[in-house]
């Protein structure tokens, strides 16, 4: 006898079952070049000040502000500091030193005169010996000088724990000389599709056989949600076959997903094997996706979805996508309220997840029939229209809840 | 003399320059297992009907609807069709054949009685020989029968040209037995960072040197926008060094990005090399990011960004992100209007792209100073606040345009 539960009750059960998995996470150290999209497992602190040294914000001339209080004024150009100049330079008071953006400000200088406010009146750009520069605008002490540590101090957190690393984070880490970073290991999802009707390997389908759509769907959905596929296999409807595949999946996965084999038929292999091991098999009051189950075998949580390809994909989206995305620090994909283009009828007593399509005007329309075998219809849709269990008629123009696929 | 242009004018120039690149795209064939997130280069048509054969929507009994018009009625169970049964079965009129979900409907049967509406009154589930089933509810012809081709006909388009392949598309392709798919080759971006001050290789920074933040930033930004990095190199401020790196980049890239070396200083290597080859160097009325250039060398478009790390990232976001995302069929990231938490002052005459942070209440605040060297400040931000060139004071609560990072 299976219990009948609501979508919310089943979602809560799965949430409770997976909570320990999300709390104790393995981590690994990766080079920065492999870290895009990974999630930091620690606060990453800087070993240096940023900027590393006091440097110029402009191409121009380093001076003492007190020497250019009256302008215009002609100053001897006593030196040159191109970017990348690694020898500290000292400014002779009453002179100017040509400087490039990012180059170290000479000791004794406290302001930069941008090149736009200065003109070489004697000498040449490519030979500064004996040059004279005329400064045409005064600058206060500190102007166009970037102080050491003005962006970040040594010991400061560059990127906090739990950050999904975007390009701007990698740039800041690289700027601080960080070459590698400790990130969360992604959750390893094991995927088992079941059914003696599934074509095995790269063969044509015989009469009565179908190609497996659920294996690649669950793998792609898991990867899209930030997990990695630790194992992927297929079992026929023989319990010994499923037992073998399950053992391999358990060895390679933090979490296992199965499709098929849990309804009321005569050859329900997932149910046959897992129910004696304590699986909770239930009927969720939803369409598609009624038969569902959960189990924990050898400490590994197993989420069992029904086998119709639309049911499998809808079940993943409703019950697992949010949890996996949170585990990977991916942003939630919130449900939205959107007006319905055309009236819909629904089946009372079961929450409906109809395949829908967003129209350019922002409304949503049904994109495919409700039957759970319409896998091509699912491909033509881009949202699920979520109708409550008590809905029977929904009028055109009424707001409905949609899940973005 | 460099021309001064608006952000929109420079964006339009880059758009025109890259348009040919987006129209003539190379494609490649990849197995379905490598196709997640790739973009179809052709309409993908089905070689089969889906479903492949007429099959049962339920676990139950296949019957002639005309035999169960009066219920309850007892029928002999004359056979059994589990899923994966590859031998065609024929229904003897006046009898029932047990059938599993997805199994082929026997010839002569036109309806399925779900197991919930039937009971074996003689015989056992595991030995149907001589069994009798009592059917308790009538069904019309066609009920719970999935007709061959009811999802998709042979020759129909499963996934149209230009579709970024999501899990649901892969599921439909797999269901139709499609094992590989022709997808657009991603754009190969070559990245050249310039500056004699950049630390080369995995060394500590000497006084006056800085770690290269732009190489990894441009690589990660390009990958995030759906491109691949075809080449990544660094040049010092010697024209011969840049020439060498540029030749390598041209050989490996559809499009090249450079950082640094295009402003008014004395050692502007990108400008020195590219201006004689027809580069358009300009000052864009924006902060950060004023000095910009474009060129085409040996047929390869080159987009030159300024070298300050914040300027580089802002320039990519404003001028290139949208184009690369469209090339990869990634959804646009639209700018939004968001209320400002605190008043801001801006520099009249230049469009400002301030680093901002979204607050939980939906408002946005400045997250870092305006200076273009604040790379750690950029890492703490999640939006760019885009203030028009004529803004000088923006009041708290006013709506501002934000770009999501």
């Amino acid at each position: 006898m299976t219990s009948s539960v609501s979508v919310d009750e089943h979602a809560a059960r799965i949430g409770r079952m997976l909570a320990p998995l999300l709390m104790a996470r393995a981590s690994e150290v990766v080079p920065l070049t492999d870290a895009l999209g990974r999630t930091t497992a620690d606060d990453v602190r800087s070993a240096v000040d940023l900027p590393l040294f006091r440097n110029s914000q402009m191409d121009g001339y380093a001076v003492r502000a007190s020497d250019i209080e009256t302008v215009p004024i002609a100053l001897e150009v006593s030196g040159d500091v191109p970017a990348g100049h690694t020898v500290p330079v000292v400014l002779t008071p009453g002179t100017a030193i040509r400087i490039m953006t990012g180059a170290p400000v000479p000791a004794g200088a406290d302001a930069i005169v941008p090149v736009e406010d200065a003109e070489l009146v004697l000498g040449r750009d490519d030979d500064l010996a004996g040059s004279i520069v005329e400064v045409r605008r005064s600058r206060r002490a500190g102007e166009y000088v970037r102080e050491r540590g003005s962006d970040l101090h040594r010991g400061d957190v560059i990127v906090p724990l739990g950050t999904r690393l975007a390009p701007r984070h990698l740039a800041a880490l690289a700027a601080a000389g960080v070459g590698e970073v400790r990130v969360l290991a992604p959750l390893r999802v094991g995927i088992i599709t079941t059914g003696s009707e599934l074509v095995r390997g790269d063969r044509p389908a015989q009469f009565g056989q179908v190609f497996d759509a659920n294996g690649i769907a669950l793998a792609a959905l898991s990867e899209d949600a930030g997990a990695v596929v630790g194992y992927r296999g297929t079992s026929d409807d023989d319990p010994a076959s499923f037992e073998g595949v399950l053992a391999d999946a358990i060895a390679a996965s933090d979490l296992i997903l199965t499709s098929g084999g849990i309804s009321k038929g005569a050859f329900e292999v997932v149910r046959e094997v897992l129910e004696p091991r304590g699986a909770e098999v239930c009927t969720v009051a939803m369409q598609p996706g009624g038969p569902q189950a959960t189990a924990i075998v050898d400490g590994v949580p197993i989420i069992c979805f029904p086998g119709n390809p639309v049911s499998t994909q809808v079940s993943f989206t409703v019950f697992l996508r949010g949890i996996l995305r949170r585990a990977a620090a991916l942003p939630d994909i919130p449900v939205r309220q959107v007006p319905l283009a055309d009236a819909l009828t629904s089946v009372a007593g079961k929450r409906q997840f109809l395949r829908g399509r967003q129209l350019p005007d922002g409304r949503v329309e049904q994109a495919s029939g409700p039957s759970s075998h319409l896998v091509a219809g699912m491909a033509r849709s881009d949202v699920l229209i979520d109708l409550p269990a008590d809905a029977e008629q929904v009028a055109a123009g009424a707001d409905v809840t949609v899940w973005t696929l």
Side-chain angles (χ1 to χ4, degrees), chain A residues 287 338-348 350-357 359 363-371 383-402:
Chain A
Q287 278 184 339
V338 173
L340 200 56
D342 303 302
L344 281 179
T345 58
S346 185
V347 179
K350 291 190 175 176
R351 191 160 152 188
Q352 297 289 314
F353 292 91
L354 300 173
R355 273 67 70 206
R357 184 162 41 211
L359 301 177
R363 296 179 305 164
V364 70
E365 67 176 10
Q366 197 169 356
S368 167
S371 188
V383 295
L384 297 177
I385 303 173
D386 176 357
L387 301 180
D390 58 4
E392 291 186 68
Q393 301 283 339
V394 188
D399 271 356
V400 289
T401 301
V402 303

Side-chain angles (χ1 to χ4, degrees), chain A residues 38-258:
Chain A
R38 303 296 298 271
T39 302
T40 49
D42 284 316
D43 286 344
V44 187
R45 291 177 185 276
S46 183
V48 296
D49 293 326
L50 274 185
L52 294 162
F53 51 88
R54 194 166 167 252
N55 71 84
S56 176
Q57 189 180 333
M58 300 293 274
D59 296 327
Y61 294 86
V63 297
R64 292 200 313 185
S66 59
D67 289 338
I68 59 165
E69 283 176 358
T70 307
V71 287
I73 187 167
L75 300 175
E76 178 198 346
V77 181
S78 61
D80 191 20
V81 194
H85 193 82
T86 55
V87 180
V89 170
V90 179
L91 179 76
T92 305
T95 73
I97 289 181
R98 190 171 67 170
I99 193 165
M100 295 296 126
T101 304
V105 175
D110 59 7
I112 306 297
V113 176
V115 70
E116 294 87 338
D117 297 333
E119 190 179 351
L120 272 188
V121 290
L122 193 65
R124 301 201 322 264
D125 263 352
D126 55 354
D127 180 8
L128 290 173
S131 293
I132 302 289
V133 67
E134 186 179 274
V135 174
R136 291 166 177 169
R137 182 170 165 183
S138 296
R139 290 290 170 185
R140 293 185 312 277
E143 274 196 272
Y144 296 125
V145 173
R146 300 166 174 164
E147 295 298 337
R148 175 174 172 158
S150 55
D151 190 18
L152 195 75
H153 289 106
R154 188 157 75 92
D156 283 353
V157 173
I158 313 171
V159 178
L161 166 72
T163 303
R164 186 173 163 84
L165 290 167
R168 63 189 183 279
H169 303 119
L170 301 182
L173 293 166
V178 174
E180 54 184 32
V181 62
R182 181 167 289 281
V183 295
L184 293 180
L187 285 182
R188 297 169 306 153
V189 176
I191 293 163
I192 306 174
T193 54
T194 70
S196 294
E197 73 278 20
L198 299 178
V199 175
R200 309 297 289 270
D202 196 15
R203 303 203 193 100
Q206 289 183 267
F207 173 79
Q209 290 189 316
V210 298
F211 297 105
D212 181 14
N214 288 337
I216 196 160
L218 289 173
L221 286 163
S222 297
E223 287 173 8
D224 229 27
V228 295
V229 176
Y231 176 84
R232 195 174 142 192
T234 298
S235 165
D236 62 26
D237 293 330
D238 168 22
S241 160
F242 183 73
E243 292 270 11
V245 172
L246 181 63
D248 291 344
I250 286 172
S253 312
D254 299 312
L255 160 70
I256 293 170
L257 309 180
T258 69

Side-chain angles (χ1 to χ4, degrees), chain A residues 23-37:
Chain A
M23 305 227 272
R25 292 285 294 283
S27 66
E28 59 189 349
V29 173
V30 298
L32 218 52
T33 45
D34 293 343
L36 179 65

Side-chain angles (χ1 to χ4, degrees), chain A residues 296-308:
Chain A
I296 297 180
V297 175
D298 297 346
V300 177
I302 306 177
I303 317 284
C304 307
F305 296 138
N308 276 314

